[in-house]
Each structure stands twice: as C-alpha cells, then as structure tokens.
C-alpha cells in the first residue's frame, strides 16, 4: 500500500478527514510532526521512506522550507517547493500571474514609511494593507481614513522584523465577499462565496464568515486552469475577488483549509484529494 | 564648577540648547552616550564623578534602567528612577494619579485578544489603542470602526513581544488637541496647545503639529502641582486633554522635547532647566 | 468564607495543590484567567469582589501590570505591585538589595554592543549573559569563550525588541549549584539545593535538575529576613549562590514554582501559602 | 548612454567605486534608494526608464522582493530574482547545489527545539548555528559545548519571529578560514582567503578579518563555473571552505561586498562589474 506523509503541526479537522478518506481508498496517510523532522541529511530519514509528502503546516514559514528539503531528498512533495514559494510570497505570486496575463489586483510593494506614503498618494482610499508573507487573513487591515493610516503603519515599522516589514497596499476590491476555489490536481473540486459576517471587515474563510456555494461558471474555470498552468498541478485554495471587470486572483493558499467550503459542496473534498494523491504516487 | 552628565543617545536640538545655557550659567553639562555606560560596578566609573546626571535618552527602555543603575551608585539623577518608572509605564502612572484623585482618562488594560474584545464591548467608539510602554506617540492608533479593530490588533498579537503586547484602550478625548506643560523642578515653565495638523489624527508634539501658547490658568497650575506632588520634583512634559468636565492628565514625559513648546513661550526653557540643575547640585 | 482570586494563565500542578489546600482550610481559591481581566475601570469588576488576589502568571510581563491595576481598585494583591516590579527587573532588584547591604553578584548593565564589549573587558570569563526581564532561566547563557561571545550577542541585538535588549553580564558564580528558598509571608518554608543535571549548564529549578533539601542555617535565614525587609511580606522564591565569601542573592521570583522544592521538604508548602492568605485576608 | 539603477540603502565604499568606474566606461550608474521605490504599478515608474537595475541592498529581505517587482516590470535585473531568492535562503541554495552534484557542507534544518536537539544528537560538536535567512555573518554562532547549546537556542525560540526561527546546524568546517570568490557574469574576478583575526571565531569578510589573495587553481574555477551554471550569470560572492576532501560551497552572496577582496587583487573589481553591466545592457 502506498504510504504518504501528512506533514503538519497537528491533526485538525481537515487532517482527520483526509486520513479517513485515505483509509477508505487503500492509501496509508500518516501524520508527521512538522517540528520534528530535522531534515538535511541526503537520505532524509524522517521522510525518505514515504511514497510522497503532503504538506499542511499552518505555519506560513515552514511549508516552503520543508518542501525544499524533502525534494532535495528526491521525495515527491505536494505542493512542490516552487509552488509553495510562489504562494507564500504574495508579491511573487502576483508577478507570476501577471506575467501569465491573469488578472490580479493593483498593488504597491511597501518596504518603508516612504513607500507607504507614496502608496497612499498613488492609490485612492479605501485601501488594504497586508503582509507579503503570512496567512489566514492575519494582519490584513482595511485603511478607510488617511489620518489614521500612519499610526497603523507604526506597528509594521516598530514591531516588524525582517520579512515582516514587507507589505502590500492595494485597493479594497471585494466589497465584503470573495470566492474560494478548492483545487486538487487540475480539478476545481468546489467553490464557495464568502461574505463578511459583519463583525469583521474581512471575508476570509479562516475567520468563520458566512459562505454559500457558487456556480462554477466558465470564467472561474478558465482562471483556475490558468493558475494551475502557472503553479503546476497541486492542492490549492484559490481566492478570487469579483469586480465590475470580472474576477481577479487575490491569493492562492498552498495548504488550504476546506471545512467551510466543504459545507457548501456536494463533492467530497477529502476523497478528491486522496484520489489525487493516488495518481501522484502510482 | 559643577559638572552634570547629560545622558542621551545623541546631541539634538534640545541638548545643544541645554549645553549652551549651562555654559552661560556657570555649569558644565557634558553629553555622555547612553549606549556606552556599562553601569553596574558599585562606583559607576562612567557617571560617578559627575555631580548629577540628567537623562534624556529617547529610547523608552533605557531611561529607567540607567536611572536605577546611577542611583545605585549614589549619583543624583534627574529624573529619579521612581519618577521615570512611573512615567514610562502608562498604567502605573494612571494608577498613581488616580490614587491621588487626579483626573485621568478612563481606560482598559489589554493583555490579550480577549481583553481587547472586552474593552471594545465596554467602551464606546471611537477609541484609542496605545502601548503601555512607548513614547513619541508611536503606535497610538485611533479606532473609529469596530469591523477593522481586530485586524489592527493582529499586529499587537502577531508582532508584539513581551511588554509590547501590553496595551491600553481608552476613549478618544482630545478632539484633536492637547496641552503640553513643561515643568522644571516644581515650576510650570511653559504650556502650549497642540492640534492635529490634519494629515494625522494625533495632536502629539513629536509629530510636528500646529501649536500655540496657552494661558496658564489656575486649573492647569493646580493639576501640575498635584502631578509633581505624586512624582517628586523633576523635569517633565505633562500632557493634558481638555474635556467638558475639565482637564485630564494623559501622559507625563520624563525626558520631554521642548522645541515646539519653546516657540510658543516667552520663557527661556533651557535656562529654567539649568537653574533647576544648579539648585539640585548646590 | 474568604474568597481569593488565583490569577494565572492556567491551572498547573502548583495551582491545583493550592486550590486543594485552600479547600481544606476554609478558604475559597478560584482560578481567574490572566488574559481575560480587562482591568482599568475603577471598580475592577473582574477582581473587585475578591478578598484578595494572588498572582501566579507565568508570563514575565503580566504580573506587574495586573498587580498595579488590581491595587488601583483597592484589592489586596499578593505580591504587591512594588514587590513584583522589583523582582521582574533584575537590575532594580540588585540595586535595592545592594542599597540594603545585601550581597549580590557583581554585574554590568548591557544596553548595546559597546556595553557588551566593555563588560567583557572588565570582567573575567566565564561570564553569564541574562536578560534584565525574563524568567524560568530562559536566555540565561554561559559565555566561556571570548571569540564566540559577539556572535551570541548578535541575537540580542538583531532579534531583541525594546526591553529585550536590556541584559546583564555577570561572573559565573554558582559552580553548577544554587539554593532556592521558598518564603510565605516572612517564613522560610523550605529550601533546596539545585545542581545542574549535566545536560545543561543551568542549575535552574525550572529546568528539571537534581535537587536536595538543604539545612536552613542562620546565614540563609538572615539573608531571607533581610530580603523580606526590602520587598515586604509576600510569597517568594529566593535564589542564592554559594560563594567562598558566603551566599549572594541571585534573583527573587515573585510567582515561584515549588514542585521541585516540595519534594525535598517535610513542610507542606501549599498549606503554608494558604495560611498566609488567611492571615492577609482576615 | 546606457543608464543603470544602483538600488541600495545607501552609497557606501563599493557603490562609490562602481559609480566612478561606470563614469570612466561610458555608462551612467545612478543610486536609487531601495526604501523609496513603491513598486507594483505595471510600468514601475521608479525603475522603468532604466536600461537595467543592479541591486545592492544590504537588507537581506529587500533584494529578492525588489528584483521580483522590477522583473515584473520587464526591466533587466542583476541579479535575477531567481538567483537572489536562491542565495538569500541558505537551504534553497544548498538544495540546488547538491542537486547539481556540487559539494556543500552537511547540515540539518532546525525549525523547532526538537529539531535542534535532534541535530545535536546526529552531528558531532563543534557545530555552527546559523539563520536560514540573513547576511554578513550575523547570528552565525559556534557551538563548542553541548551544555550551553540549549541556552543559545533560547534566543532563536524566544526572540525569533517567523522566518527568523528557521536555522541550520552544520559541522564547523572552516578551521578559521574561508575563500571568497568574486564573480561578474561568468568570470572569476578575484579570490581571497579570510582567516579569523582572533577576536572572533568567524572568518567572515564582513567582520574585518585578515585576508590574502589566493591562487585561482582549477578546482576553484570548476566550482565557480558550476555555481554559475546553477544560478545563471550574475554578480556573486561565492564563499568556500577548504576541507580535507576539497572545497565545499558554504554560501553565495547576491550583493557581495568587495572591499577586502579588492585589497588582495590586482584586478579592478569595479571595472569588471561595469563591463558586465555593459554587456547586459548592450
């Protein structure tokens, strides 16, 4: 039986369902603690005996490093290190997508107070300030007012270290809603629309907001196809914003949660993931 | 001639004027780098030969530590370690002033996300979020909207370490203006009103806002007297907010800038400070 | 029945025993989460109805702030805010003890790379580098070699924020052993000697090292008495180093663990604490 | 005349020489502040009119981000974003070099305390602890003793945020010396040997150590060629360690300083760089 490592910081809701679905489909999926791998030796004892590695670390810093080290040991990794690196750096992702003529939001890269002031001068309010590196919607802040923006940026400048000081400023596009597309391999397994529940401006799936199933029209399918062409096959959560000019790709999550999306879908997401794992390891 | 150490990270505008005023009044005032003291030995070689030490570190972490170490070497220090510790911890200061029946803003101590949510539930918007430790108005943020407050707090939670996670939430009182009182010894040397210049919501003196001289009515004098009773004589910048019920004490700065206040005053602030130094060292 | 709040981040081994001992002695002791107090309102609803507050937060930043806010609401607090502030700042504590002619280790206050270089030049190796603020022996590092000391200091300089950059450098005194004295009120309840278990150079009680009961000779009693004179009655873990010239006071812990000490003692520490709580609240 | 942007945080010794050499060779090289670019708009106004961009930010976080954004605006960038990303992540670089059968030091990827303990168990002392992301030898620490290693790691665990917690542990190989090779395009312009000056264990060029020219034998040339095959042509500082089995590649610096190397070389490094810039822009 094929044996796949599920590398994560813990076994959560999604991981339990993936392990169960694997068992029902003749695949062994075993949790491996992402903080106890000690990778680096060429043979990678912690991972070398698996037929593949699926990375679901919630840490936004561990995924890319573990994938790099696992690939160096010639173990197939989902997602690839290249895909994870592209996803975890929101600037890299936008550059890649834009180069492939995919629609992305306008943005400014903010590395300093001067950049931040210039971004505020170039783009009209309301704006979104978000870290280049990070996940689950954390530190994604809406700037409605110019006169408080600088005091919010104080936190980036005073408390941010290293990569934490890298931010994007972008127009506020989603009008309170976004579409999350769950992809396994090349297949769009499910898609759902998220809308802010009112208490928080963010419509992020991680924040427990209201959601409903959305039809997978040809526009969404075409975008998803093109994103997979850029990143390679894998397991992705692709977040879209709907704008008057059509959808734009906001982010791609390389270790996507799917609990909320699963509620809206008739499709069985864990089974779709497991089938893709079987394909990869066969 | 009496010789006083001016302990600071650099010689800035204020320090140059203090050194010049000392020279004109028969006092020697010498800059000593606050990052090259290596205090701790009982005799405190870096400071032990001075008749007194005046601390003007802009770092909000160095002042109290240096004052503590200098006092341990039995050198008179302005301000006292006790006064600096009271001023640099905005919670301690409010507790001390409240215990002396001085009017201070209402506030909540926020040590966690749960505290922050409770503070938002207890106090009406708009609110001010500020670090317990910190200076120059940095990270003092205005929260106008409940739906963006949590994403601002993400920065405290994700990027703040240790004491940086301690914050106060308080009602927004100043309506865009505050009064800064400069005190030397017990004397109210000058006072000025600061008003936000429009680009930033803060009326903080450090942010280069508009200011004008204010009359030193009996209400202000009484408050200043009472603050000095609590903290002991020293060199202070006392910040007041005017409310419908009268003034409240917002903060006391233990190493106050005075460039902006000096512009509004006929009094010569450096000379007032130097006279106080002479008194202390005589 | 008297009702005392046990303010802590969790109910651990010590807290369970304290709550049980209270129940056996006609005192109600209730855990209150130190991250859900939202203190600040004059009446302090989270704590105002208790007869006293005992603080056992393991966070080295929360204790002093919560004690300050609780005292402002006129609730008796163990330990007092003044005692906690003295204990949590290793520089303040040494200054206070030295002023009372208590023996403390020599040390240098290191606020910068220049201070660090000066301390290495003034004091002979081996030296200990430790944070001014912090607990449980964390970041307390032994510097055996001059040629690696600067690369260790890089971590303080590059990664430390604010108060984390404040450090002490001091001679390595304990020869691998230290004495922990557990105090309730004025009473020396138990004392134990800790010795490094070999894997780590530190003899800190928090690190699970070897320990044995020590006789409470008159020298230790005299020091403990004098420390309580300085800090006021309370619940303390006083750490001593034995040197050829007698004991010196290394640190005082204001929320001391007592699991390891309890193993070495015939005295019942939880009961001694509870009796002291009864005394305070009667 | 071709116009190249020299993107950096400041004009230092190297940048002055590069600008002068460009002037002497009919190329205009203009400093552009790396904190005032506000990149992101498709046309990249801050850089779009240059014929090429050379990145010399000393910040280890800015180079890759700026290169990514500049390439997205279709401006030729030295080094390429791919090369910078490979160099700034010491794990990625080792994986790439190892995949190309280039000799690299053995290492373990340390993401947690458990990884650190495992690395200490797997590899013999002395070991080097270094950040995955970082430059100029900062935080590269020599671990001679097992009993102090955990207290050094406390700093990574307690003070490191996000990517700062990613570290490598590797055998101590250099015996106090390393070889720095300066490359422009494919050409090995100069190479020098660095040896610790005694005060600090590190032989890093950034730390002002003793250095001397080294002969560029065929072994070094072959390694340099192979590294350029992996990373693409560019401007690199390739650091080698000499071992009993030959040279291994330790790091590649993507914005190399060359002051110390220049002292040991008859070749004119700034002119070699400028000639490469001319080639790229012609």
């Amino acid at each position: 039986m094929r044996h796949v490592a599920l590398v994560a910081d813990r076994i959560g809701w999604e991981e339990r369902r993936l392990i169960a679905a694997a068992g029902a489909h003749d695949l062994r999926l075993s949790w491996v603690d992402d903080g106890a791998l000690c990778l680096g030796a060429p043979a990678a004892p912690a991972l070398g005996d698996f037929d593949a590695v699926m990375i679901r670390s919630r840490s936004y810093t561990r995924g890319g490093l573990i994938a790099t080290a696992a690939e160096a040991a010639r173990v197939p990794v989902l997602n690839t290190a290249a895909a994870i690196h592209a996803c975890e750096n929101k600037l890299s992702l936008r550059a890649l997508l834009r180069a492939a003529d995919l629609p992305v939001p306008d943005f400014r890269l903010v590395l300093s107070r001067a950049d931040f002031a210039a971004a505020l001068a170039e783009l009209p309010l309301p704006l979104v300030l978000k870290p280049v590196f990070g996940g689950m919607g954390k530190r994604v802040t809406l700037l409605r007012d110019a006169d408080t923006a600088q005091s919010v940026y104080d936190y980036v400048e005073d408390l941010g270290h290293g990569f934490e000081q890298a931010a994007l400023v972008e127009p506020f596009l989603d009008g309170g809603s976004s579409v999350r597309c769950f992809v396994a391999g090349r297949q769009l397994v499910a898609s759902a629309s998220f809308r802010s529940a009112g208490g928080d401006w963010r419509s992020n799936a991680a924040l427990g907001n209201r959601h409903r199933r959305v039809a997978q029209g040809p526009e969404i399918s075409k975008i998803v196809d093109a994103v997979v062409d850029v990143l390679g096959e894998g397991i992705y959560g692709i977040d879209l914003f709907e704008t008057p000019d059509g959808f734009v790709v906001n982010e791609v999550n390389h270790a996507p949660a799917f609990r909320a999306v699963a509620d809206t879908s008739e499709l069985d997401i864990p089974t779709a993931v497991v089938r893709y794992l079987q394909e990869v390891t066969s």
Side-chain angles (χ1 to χ4, degrees), chain A residues 78-80 83 184-186 228-229 231-236 276 279-280:
Chain A
L78 294 175
N79 291 319
T80 65
R186 296 198 65 88
V228 176
D229 284 342
L231 297 175
E233 290 189 8
I235 298 161
Y236 302 112
Y276 175 56
E279 197 181 302
V280 168

Side-chain angles (χ1 to χ4, degrees), chain A residues 91-106:
Chain A
L91 174 71
S92 288
L93 182 69
R94 295 214 173 158
L96 280 169
L97 298 180
R98 207 186 247 175
D101 285 325
L102 272 155
V104 296
D106 194 12

Side-chain angles (χ1 to χ4, degrees), chain A residues 186-206:
Chain A
R186 296 198 65 88
Q187 186 198 357
L188 172 51
V189 180
S191 54
S193 166
F194 290 85
R195 179 167 293 277
S196 162
D200 194 281
W201 74 275
R202 290 168 287 191
S203 58
N204 193 289

Side-chain angles (χ1 to χ4, degrees), chain A residues 58-212:
Chain A
R58 285 176 303 171
S59 153
Y60 69 90
T61 60
R62 289 185 174 179
L65 294 162
I66 291 171
T68 297
E71 287 182 356
R74 301 179 200 277
V75 185
V77 182
L78 294 175
N79 291 319
T80 65
I84 296 178
H85 283 299
C87 293
E88 76 182 1
N89 177 331
K90 296 187 187 85
L91 174 71
S92 288
L93 182 69
R94 295 214 173 158
L96 280 169
L97 298 180
R98 207 186 247 175
D101 285 325
L102 272 155
V104 296
D106 194 12
F107 69 90
R108 293 295 177 276
L109 174 64
V110 168
L111 301 174
S112 68
R113 176 81 64 178
D115 280 345
F116 185 64
L120 288 174
E122 289 183 23
L123 301 175
L125 292 167
L127 291 166
V128 173
L129 172 68
K130 58 167 66 167
V132 169
F133 303 92
M136 311 219 288
K138 302 296 277 181
R139 282 182 276 141
V140 180
T141 310
L142 181 61
L143 306 172
R144 287 197 178 97
D145 306 310
D147 71 340
T148 58
Q150 297 293 337
S151 58
V152 172
Y153 189 76
D154 282 0
Y155 285 86
V156 179
E157 187 178 66
D158 288 9
L159 301 188
H161 259 209
F163 289 107
E164 293 164 350
Q165 289 207 331
L168 299 185
V169 165
E170 63 187 32
F172 175 54
L173 285 186
D174 74 350
S177 78
S178 62
V179 173
R180 159 66 62 105
C181 305
F182 190 94
V183 173
R186 296 198 65 88
Q187 186 198 357
L188 172 51
V189 180
S191 54
S193 166
F194 290 85
R195 179 167 293 277
S196 162
D200 194 281
W201 74 275
R202 290 168 287 191
S203 58
N204 193 289
L207 295 169
N209 292 308
R210 290 178 298 156
H211 46 271
R212 60 176 179 79

